[in-house]
Amino acid sequence: MMSPIKVLLALIVTLLLSGAFVTCLEEEKCTDSSCGEIDEDVIDIPLEHEKRKYFREGQEEVINDEDFVDIIDENEEEELQFVKKDTIELSTEDLYLRIPDNERGELNDIEGEVVNAVRDTFEFSPLARVSPGTVGEEVKVELEEGVWFTRITRAIQPPVFEIPNFLSDEECDHIMETAKANGLNVSNLFGDDVLDEFENKIPLAEVSRVSQQTWLEEQHIGGKFWNRLQNKLAKLTELPLGVIQRGEPIQVVSYTAGGHYHAHLDSVDDYDKPCCFQTRCGDKENTPQWSECCRLCRYMTVLYYLSDTEDGGETAFPIADANDSFVEEKFENLEDQDWYNLSYYCYNSSLVVKPKRGTAIMWYNHFVDEETGYLGLTDRRSHHGGCDLRKGMKWIANNWISGTTVDDRFKSSVFYDGP
């Protein structure tokens, strides 16, 4: 049971989380030695208020009217009403001064914890973008100390790069074996259930996606392997390691003969919904119903070929580097076209990449917003997919690099629980 003083303390903590609480603005109002000094670098600047907003949203308990009623018994209700009525017109300094001296230390401890938490809130930086140069251009990049890789430009719009030998044979094997141990399920679609297509008994070549997949996190793949891969990605993408760490888990996909994935986008533009990597969706996560809760914000894709293929299984970009009129034509009356069906039109694509074990390909799914430097619209030219595998097995893995809008740059990632 909480006393009205404790309730008052809770109310001030709520105001503190909102960014409204400022202690000791005027020294003559504070004579108690426990009243700390104002940190002018933290209080009352827009950046800190933005951080506080997302820190506050992450708290599990919010003080509201119902909470007040729950913690006060009938004998204290009259005094509670006095506290609630009186605090409506009081400033936060006055509220602070109404707390007895022996209670203020607790509040100051809480204030310190909140200020530290706000300062430590991760901020997604503006999005970097590797310059593609010209098609065929080769650039040497040091992705590990003393170890150099070749980055080859395969397209300009969107920038698509090929990095041979990005993973070793042992690393490819480790990812595949870990995926098998984790168990694979039928690959699905974001917003649509591919099982409906199978049940309708349409030709296999017209089913949107035919493969099996699983998701791997650090706990599956091992901390040493995970950290090494993320550090290489940070150098490859020229993005901060903190951004790489806050992306989605690795998706591993397996194809047998007849398997494919028709041309699609890895991300979406539904700005009425929050980014999936920043939103808890419960049982809907990684299912077709995910789209009811959030939108995909996959700024970049890095795809790894974990195996060679005997015949087929290429990655195709049907409209990469296409001129504007050609792109507009492809999306006019889209329902009457089938250029995205890679079972039929794989080799009509402007870019086709043959799988080679250990090779990575990297591309951008979004433009960068010119005004903010953060996530812009999706690039329609980034449509891509997997062509029919005609013989053998094919294994790939997808690493999606998340990006966010400027308004959500302090919002945490649900896939990251580090410091």
Side-chain angles (χ1 to χ4, degrees):
M1 191 66 61
M2 291 180 67
S3 68
I5 291 299
K6 291 290 186 181
V7 174
L8 186 60
L9 185 64
L11 175 62
I12 293 178
V13 171
T14 304
L15 292 172
L16 178 63
L17 290 176
S18 72
F21 184 69
V22 180
T23 59
C24 316
L25 283 176
E26 299 175 14
E27 285 192 18
E28 63 269 24
K29 288 187 179 182
C30 182
T31 58
D32 186 83
S33 60
S34 65
C35 185
E37 296 181 357
I38 296 300
D39 184 344
E40 294 180 355
D41 293 331
V42 174
I43 302 300
D44 286 341
I45 59 175
L47 179 65
E48 296 303 328
H49 283 302
E50 281 295 306
K51 287 188 176 184
R52 286 176 185 272
K53 180 176 72 171
Y54 290 111
F55 179 74
R56 183 174 71 253
E57 289 175 355
Q59 306 308 299
E60 295 181 356
E61 296 182 10
V62 178
I63 304 298
N64 55 35
D65 285 351
E66 292 181 2
D67 293 325
F68 279 117
V69 172
D70 288 342
I71 60 179
I72 299 298
D73 63 25
E74 295 179 359
N75 295 329
E76 295 173 322
E77 188 168 349
E78 183 176 345
E79 187 172 355
L80 169 65
Q81 294 304 321
F82 165 76
V83 171
K84 289 176 64 180
K85 178 177 182 298
D86 230 31
T87 56
I88 291 175
E89 297 179 357
L90 286 175
S91 68
T92 51
E93 303 107 273
D94 291 330
L95 285 173
Y96 181 89
L97 293 173
R98 291 189 63 164
I99 297 177
D101 292 351
N102 61 350
E103 300 275 359
R104 291 184 186 173
E106 181 181 349
L107 179 60
N108 286 319
D109 290 343
I110 296 172
E111 179 190 9
E113 292 176 7
V114 171
V115 169
N116 288 336
V118 169
R119 282 173 168 165
D120 293 341
T121 298
F122 179 78
E123 177 182 3
F124 283 87
S125 61
L127 295 167
R129 199 171 176 94
V130 177
S131 174
T134 58
V135 173
E137 181 176 314
E138 298 186 6
V139 177
K140 296 294 183 181
V141 289
E142 186 179 15
L143 304 183
E144 295 182 289
E145 187 175 355
V147 183
W148 294 79
F149 296 77
T150 303
R151 189 188 68 214
I152 307 168
T153 299
R154 300 299 305 272
I156 308 299
Q157 295 182 294
V160 179
F161 303 95
E162 179 179 354
I163 306 92
N165 303 309
F166 183 82
L167 296 178
S168 67
D169 287 345
E170 292 76 18
E171 289 170 326
C172 291
D173 287 339
H174 179 63
I175 295 174
M176 288 191 292
E177 293 307 315
T178 304
K180 293 174 186 177
N182 197 45
L184 287 84
N185 299 303
V186 172
S187 299
N188 226 314
L189 305 170
F190 185 78
D192 291 297
D193 195 338
V194 74
L195 295 179
D196 292 340
E197 298 183 21
F198 284 110
E199 291 173 1
N200 290 335
K201 298 181 179 179
I202 63 176
L204 187 64
E206 296 180 13
V207 175
S208 300
R209 190 178 190 186
V210 182
S211 62
Q212 290 187 310
Q213 68 176 50
T214 192
W215 298 87
L216 299 182
E217 302 180 50
E218 181 179 358
Q219 62 185 351
H220 303 117
I221 210 165
K224 183 177 180 180
F225 185 99
W226 187 265
N227 292 334
R228 182 185 178 195
L229 179 60
Q230 290 193 331
N231 276 281
K232 285 175 69 176
L233 283 173
K235 292 182 179 180
L236 177 66
T237 62
E238 300 182 5
L239 291 168
L241 178 61
V243 172
I244 304 299
Q245 292 172 328
R246 287 162 174 80
E248 297 176 44
I250 297 174
Q251 184 193 65
V252 182
V253 188
S254 171
Y255 298 82
T256 57
H260 58 260
Y261 192 178
H262 294 327
H264 60 283
L265 293 172
D266 277 351
S267 204
V268 294
D269 279 334
D270 190 354
Y271 286 93
D272 292 334
K273 297 175 183 175
C275 292
C276 292
F277 82 99
Q278 295 177 311
T279 307
R280 287 289 181 196
C281 296
D283 293 341
K284 294 180 179 179
E285 288 179 16
N286 300 327
T287 72
Q289 288 72 43
W290 216 10
S291 63
E292 299 172 6
C293 168
C294 58
R295 76 180 193 275
L296 298 176
C297 297
R298 296 166 173 169
Y299 174 54
M300 300 179 69
T301 298
V302 183
L303 182 153
Y304 315 119
Y305 294 117
L306 304 178
S307 68
D308 295 317
T309 60
E310 293 185 59
D311 189 9
E314 298 91 344
T315 301
F317 294 79
I319 52 176
D321 283 337
N323 61 48
D324 291 344
S325 61
F326 184 83
V327 173
E328 289 302 322
E329 177 187 322
K330 292 300 181 183
F331 287 93
E332 186 177 349
N333 301 319
L334 183 60
E335 64 278 5
D336 297 328
Q337 303 193 52
D338 55 4
W339 55 266
Y340 51 84
N341 186 318
L342 299 182
S343 294
Y344 300 147
Y345 301 109
C346 171
Y347 301 106
N348 288 3
S349 300
S350 54
L351 173 61
V352 179
V353 182
K354 181 176 176 58
K356 182 171 177 55
R357 179 173 163 93
T359 292
I361 53 174
M362 176 180 79
W363 68 89
Y364 294 89
N365 301 303
H366 282 261
F367 296 107
V368 174
D369 185 282
E370 292 183 358
E371 292 185 3
T372 67
Y374 286 83
L375 199 68
L377 295 173
T378 53
D379 186 347
R380 292 190 295 182
R381 290 180 175 87
S382 70
H383 271 81
H384 65 282
C387 302
D388 269 22
L389 182 67
R390 291 184 288 274
K391 186 178 180 182
M393 292 282 295
K394 171 187 171 184
W395 286 83
I396 66 165
N398 292 302
N399 238 152
W400 285 300
I401 313 302
S402 300
T404 189
T405 62
V406 65
D407 291 339
D408 286 339
R409 67 191 186 280
F410 297 115
K411 196 171 182 180
S412 60
S413 167
V414 301
F415 299 115
Y416 182 74
D417 57 5

